[in-house]
Amino acid sequence: MKKLILLVAAIALGTFALSAQSITKEDKDRAKALVEKMTLEEKIDYIGGFDGFYIRGIERLGIPQIRMADGPQGVRNNTKSTLFACGVASAATWNEEAMKEMGVGLGQDARARGVHILLGPGVNIYRSPLCGRNFEYMGEDPYLAARAAVNYIKGVQSQGVMATIKHFALNNQEYDRHHVSSDVDERTINEIYFPTFRAAVTEAKVGSVMTSYNLINGVHAAENPWLIRTNLKEAWGFQGFVMSDWTSTYTTLGCIRGGLDLEMPQAFQMNAEAIKPLIEAGIVEESEIDEKVQNILQALIAFGFLDRPQLDKNISEDNEYSRKIAYKLSCESAVLLKNTGALPLKSGKKNTIVLMGPNADVIPCGGGSGRVDPIHSTSLAEGMKSLGKNYVTKLYKDGKPDANTLKKAAAVIVSVGFDKTCEKENSDRTFTLPAGQDELIEYACQHSDKVIVVIYAGGAIDMSRWQDKVSAILMGWYPGQEGGQAIANILAGKVNPSGKLPMTFEKTLEDNPTYRFYYPVEARTKRGMSCKTAFYGEGLFVGYRGYERNGVEPAYPFGHGLSYTSFEYMASNTIKSGDGYDVVFTVMNTGKYDGAEVSEIYVGEKNPCVVRPAKELKGFAKTFIPKGKAAKVTVHLPKSAFEYYDVKSHSWTLNPGYFTIYIGSSSADIRLTEEVLM
Ligand code: BGC
């Protein structure tokens, strides 16, 4: 009985690893023995998916059919399941525990449906607010994105489900995604665009990697040996398998030679008709096909897929744990951008609240493969209703209240943003809100000085028309099925907001450091390439690194997020620890509410021998502190936090000397600094 209790507790906590994530020699030997028993036809068939989301089974060898499902924020494909806050929202929590719990919940939801491989997380770096998939990703900073991805993957894989990190690599825009070449220099790709993938491989032992649609320096990702072989497999030691994105393959030889293992959703290029003549002509060796089958099988074996059923009937499809975590993520991810006192809302029957706008009574979600149909959901209107009689809320779903109603209201909440029709894969979105929404906010501001804007979007939007006129702005991202409840509780002050921005919000699109390069007309003509190119001309200076270098003040800086309480930082110190330093400081909650503070640690080199950003995020901690209390916070900075990528040696290198450590409440709100010698 005691054992059973321990087992149940371990599963609930997600600490019970059902399968090994590292691929062992035994796994490899077992896979090799299976490959040796397969006919050439079976092997060729094996490296192409079928029926949309499956790897074929081979009954005679005891290899089961393997089921995959999207994707980052919930288990999709022919099922309803928990809709978690989207990827970028998970990064906005700055809470590693919550990021991991999201993975555990996703893993459980996958097991409850017999799904072996989850097609997430998505981690492409946020360059511009226009990218249609920003909501699925994890923001503009590689350190924060890596922490979010590593925790997510560890959580998913702790449940015996394989995670898939995607889209490798440089899929930072959706516009014309099959044809655009992301052209980037070696240092930039290593410092900005690789770290999240690399951490997923080396630290989280991710089981599979999905390539992207775009080309990288002129070669399609799925057929790119420099990307897949030289970096992923050789330099980082990736032992799992590489799958293509759905229909992102272009030539048979390119797929074979590039290092791709599995073509999805089916063998458009790597099929028997194309491969057999190449083998007969001596152009392709059978061993090249064997290598791919081996890579797939050894990973499936390591995850236990050949030895147990994936469907776990002990987990309900309507999983209580996931629901709880979905709510936690929604609460912790919302970012209070501005508050001149309208929030928290005043309670009391006389304080009528007006709720209006296109997203007031819907469950907003980005579209494409990131869309999930939830079993349960709560809209903001429903969340407001649940607050009880003390919060009298008048809902205007369509149409708008008259001027008098607005004037009399104690607060006017306008819920705006994008949705599955306009923020999604395969197209980019606008910086401005969809038609009519700015006008709606402006109308509310004409008749009320207590306008609160709640935004649902994957990143920054143009607020220039009303930012100064409204009293409060709450960034809700796509908060998932529990989002309406969480946001209502935040507005009412039952939950103290604690999310911070995982990207910079610009004042105008022109301010964004990628502006000149994002749609690459100039670069295309200048370079005279046959394919269109997105030239990453801003180099390392993406996001806050760029705003700081260009001296451009953003609307809201990276790492910004307000609370209903206030925090004071004091007594910092650095202590040599391991190959780096521990940064130690005290944070005191000096306000009237209990709350959690995200402390951000940036590092800047004093006399760099190459151009470096003024400072870069290298650590953070989220600490819950009751009002009036103080907490001692320690953040470890390993040697790697001080290094840069040296293109001469093709490796991360330390330039010995002095570094400044910035301890801040946001990238633009540095409270304490320290100097260390490395
Ligand atoms: C997306 C992938 C997704 C796949 C399967 C593609 O269009 O780019 O992220 O996993 O579809 O749905």
Side-chain angles (χ1 to χ4, degrees):
M1 187 63 194
K2 207 169 154 195
K3 266 192 191 158
L4 186 74
I5 294 170
L6 282 175
L7 182 78
V8 171
I11 292 175
L13 288 169
T15 52
F16 183 63
L18 286 164
S19 61
Q21 292 152 32
S22 296
I23 296 167
T24 62
K25 174 154 183 325
E26 287 73 42
D27 299 332
K28 288 183 186 173
D29 290 347
R30 193 169 155 198
K32 190 159 179 272
L34 285 171
V35 176
E36 278 162 9
K37 289 192 189 127
M38 289 166 79
T39 64
L40 177 62
E41 286 72 21
E42 278 173 334
K43 288 187 282 193
I44 296 176
D45 274 358
Y46 201 67
I47 59 175
F50 88 106
D51 210 9
F53 286 88
Y54 289 87
I55 307 179
R56 236 167 272 277
I58 306 177
E59 224 182 312
R60 74 174 185 93
L61 297 175
I63 302 172
Q65 183 171 297
I66 299 294
R67 180 173 168 197
M68 306 180 184
D70 281 307
Q73 36 268 322
V75 180
R76 193 178 74 96
N77 307 109
N78 307 321
T79 179
K80 285 187 167 189
S81 68
T82 318
L83 168 60
F84 290 87
C86 63
V88 82
S90 74
T93 66
W94 296 66
N95 180 341
E96 295 203 54
E97 183 192 65
M99 293 162 180
K100 185 161 179 202
E101 288 166 342
M102 175 178 177
V104 171
L106 284 163
Q108 291 187 359
D109 287 358
R111 289 301 299 267
R113 290 161 180 79
V115 169
H116 299 83
I117 302 178
L118 190 75
L119 304 173
V123 300
N124 297 84
I125 292 289
Y126 178 109
R127 279 180 85 212
S128 157
L130 305 184
C131 172
R133 293 190 96 162
N134 280 332
F135 74 94
E136 296 184 62
Y137 300 155
M138 287 156 173
E140 74 185 24
D141 182 78
Y143 180 81
L144 178 60
R147 295 327 306 154
V150 162
N151 281 291
Y152 177 117
I153 294 164
K154 284 188 174 171
V156 170
Q157 296 194 162
S158 73
Q159 301 306 302
V161 175
M162 185 185 291
T164 308
I165 195 156
K166 65 188 189 185
H167 306 90
F168 192 50
L170 294 141
N171 191 178
N172 309 99
Q173 64 180 42
E174 284 300 296
Y175 166 76
D176 204 10
R177 64 179 178 178
H178 287 265
H179 306 112
V180 171
S181 175
S182 299
D183 285 3
V184 68
D185 65 86
E186 185 188 341
R187 181 165 170 218
T188 300
I189 198 170
N190 275 284
E191 289 198 17
I192 305 289
Y193 298 97
F194 274 171
T196 314
F197 290 100
R198 191 172 161 192
V201 170
T202 57
E203 191 181 338
K205 307 273 180 264
V206 72
S208 53
V209 174
M210 187 193 294
T211 55
S212 54
Y213 285 106
N214 53 286
L215 303 87
I216 290 141
N217 294 331
V219 183
H220 268 113
E223 306 181 13
N224 196 318
W226 178 81
L227 188 73
I228 302 175
R229 290 196 189 277
T230 313
N231 285 286
L232 179 67
K233 294 189 177 180
E234 286 156 25
W236 310 344
F238 178 62
Q239 309 245 311
F241 63 91
V242 179
M243 71 173 88
S244 68
D245 199 344
W246 273 228
T247 66
S248 71
T249 51
Y250 305 85
T251 67
T252 304
L253 259 189
C255 291
I256 293 176
R257 293 280 146 83
L260 185 72
D261 298 306
L262 177 68
E263 188 180 6
M264 291 302 292
Q266 67 186 71
F268 293 109
Q269 301 299 335
M270 295 204 292
N271 52 48
E273 209 186 320
I275 293 178
K276 273 183 153 180
L278 292 172
I279 294 182
E280 279 153 22
I283 298 169
V284 168
E285 300 283 332
E286 189 168 338
S287 60
E288 293 181 78
I289 308 302
D290 292 356
E291 179 198 326
K292 299 178 193 305
V293 181
Q294 169 81 33
N295 288 339
I296 301 169
L297 281 176
Q298 68 190 29
L300 303 185
I301 290 168
F303 275 78
F305 298 161
L306 268 60
D307 303 315
R308 58 166 163 77
Q310 186 65 358
L311 179 67
D312 185 341
K313 292 194 181 132
N314 294 320
I315 307 172
S316 165
E317 284 203 15
D318 187 4
N319 181 5
E320 199 48 49
Y321 175 81
S322 294
R323 212 171 155 180
K324 207 178 85 202
I325 298 307
Y327 174 69
K328 178 173 171 178
L329 277 152
S330 315
C331 290
E332 291 213 22
S333 58
V335 179
L336 184 59
L337 294 172
K338 170 177 178 173
N339 185 19
T340 55
L343 292 177
L345 293 168
K346 282 197 191 72
S347 59
K349 294 196 176 129
K350 284 188 198 136
N351 296 314
T352 305
I353 300 156
V354 166
L355 173 60
M356 60 199 264
N359 284 338
D361 198 22
V362 297
I363 313 303
C365 180
S369 58
R371 210 195 100 202
V372 173
D373 293 324
I375 301 172
H376 306 277
S377 56
T378 309
S379 71
L380 180 53
E382 289 162 342
M384 292 303 295
K385 208 165 161 195
S386 80
L387 295 173
K389 288 196 194 110
N390 254 346
Y391 293 86
V392 184
T393 307
K394 279 193 190 166
L395 172 67
Y396 294 83
K397 262 199 221 185
D398 316 297
K400 37 189 189 186
D402 58 38
N404 206 28
T405 307
L406 289 172
K407 264 184 208 137
K408 284 201 294 197
V412 178
I413 304 167
V414 193
S415 178
V416 297
F418 297 88
D419 61 25
K420 60 178 186 288
T421 65
C422 49
E423 189 157 21
K424 61 181 190 336
E425 67 180 279
N426 208 15
S427 59
D428 275 355
R429 72 147 160 92
T430 55
F431 183 50
T432 46
L433 283 168
Q437 299 192 10
D438 283 327
E439 288 78 4
L440 194 65
I441 300 169
E442 283 176 325
Y443 170 74
C445 291
Q446 274 163 22
H447 305 292
S448 167
D449 57 4
K450 298 202 186 53
V451 175
I452 298 153
V453 179
V454 175
I455 305 164
Y456 296 120
I461 58 158
D462 185 357
M463 304 181 191
S464 55
R465 282 171 62 173
W466 42 263
Q467 193 195 345
D468 295 339
K469 297 180 196 153
V470 302
S471 297
I473 308 173
L474 185 69
M475 186 68 194
W477 314 106
Y478 294 113
Q481 62 176 47
E482 310 296 328
Q485 188 65 62
I487 290 179
N489 287 351
I490 289 174
L491 296 175
K494 291 176 190 256
V495 169
N496 193 351
S498 63
K500 292 202 175 175
L501 287 181
M503 78 285 288
T504 312
F505 273 30
E506 53 277 84
K507 286 181 181 157
T508 71
L509 195 56
E510 290 77 0
D511 286 349
N512 185 293
T514 72
Y515 180 72
R516 284 192 302 129
F517 311 106
Y518 191 72
Y519 287 124
V521 186
E522 280 172 45
R524 212 185 303 162
T525 43
K526 226 190 276 168
R527 301 171 138 241
M529 292 178 65
S530 57
C531 56
K532 297 169 200 163
T533 61
F535 172 54
Y536 284 43
E538 74 284 0
L540 303 172
F541 297 95
V542 62
Y544 65 90
R545 292 164 170 81
Y547 290 91
E548 291 188 3
R549 178 176 154 103
N550 302 341
V552 172
E553 196 197 324
Y556 298 105
F558 174 81
H560 167 79
L562 303 172
S563 166
Y564 294 147
T565 190
S566 50
F567 297 99
E568 210 171 284
Y569 282 64
M570 57 196 90
S572 64
N573 193 8
T574 54
I575 304 157
K576 196 97 190 79
S577 157
D579 64 358
Y581 284 92
D582 279 346
V583 184
V584 187
F585 51 96
T586 298
V587 183
M588 176 141 189
N589 182 341
T590 50
K592 295 198 187 100
Y593 292 80
D594 295 347
E597 166 70 341
V598 175
S599 305
E600 305 164 28
I601 312 296
Y602 298 85
V603 173
E605 186 170 350
K606 293 206 99 166
N607 297 300
C609 56
V610 290
V611 176
R612 293 193 71 175
K615 65 180 193 292
E616 300 183 273
L617 183 77
K618 295 294 174 183
F620 61 85
K622 187 168 193 173
T623 321
F624 174 80
I625 311 171
K627 62 182 173 202
K629 297 272 189 263
K632 191 170 160 191
V633 183
T634 303
V635 177
H636 180 66
L637 294 177
K639 176 170 164 256
S640 57
F642 301 87
E643 294 175 337
Y644 71 98
Y645 183 86
D646 175 33
V647 287
K648 284 190 222 113
S649 62
H650 307 289
S651 62
W652 285 86
T653 307
L654 179 77
N655 177 37
Y658 286 96
F659 291 79
T660 307
I661 293 170
Y662 302 88
I663 304 161
S665 184
S666 89
S667 63
D669 182 9
I670 300 302
R671 304 290 181 87
L672 302 163
T673 57
E674 289 286 325
E675 196 168 285
V676 294
L677 179 64
M678 277 297 293

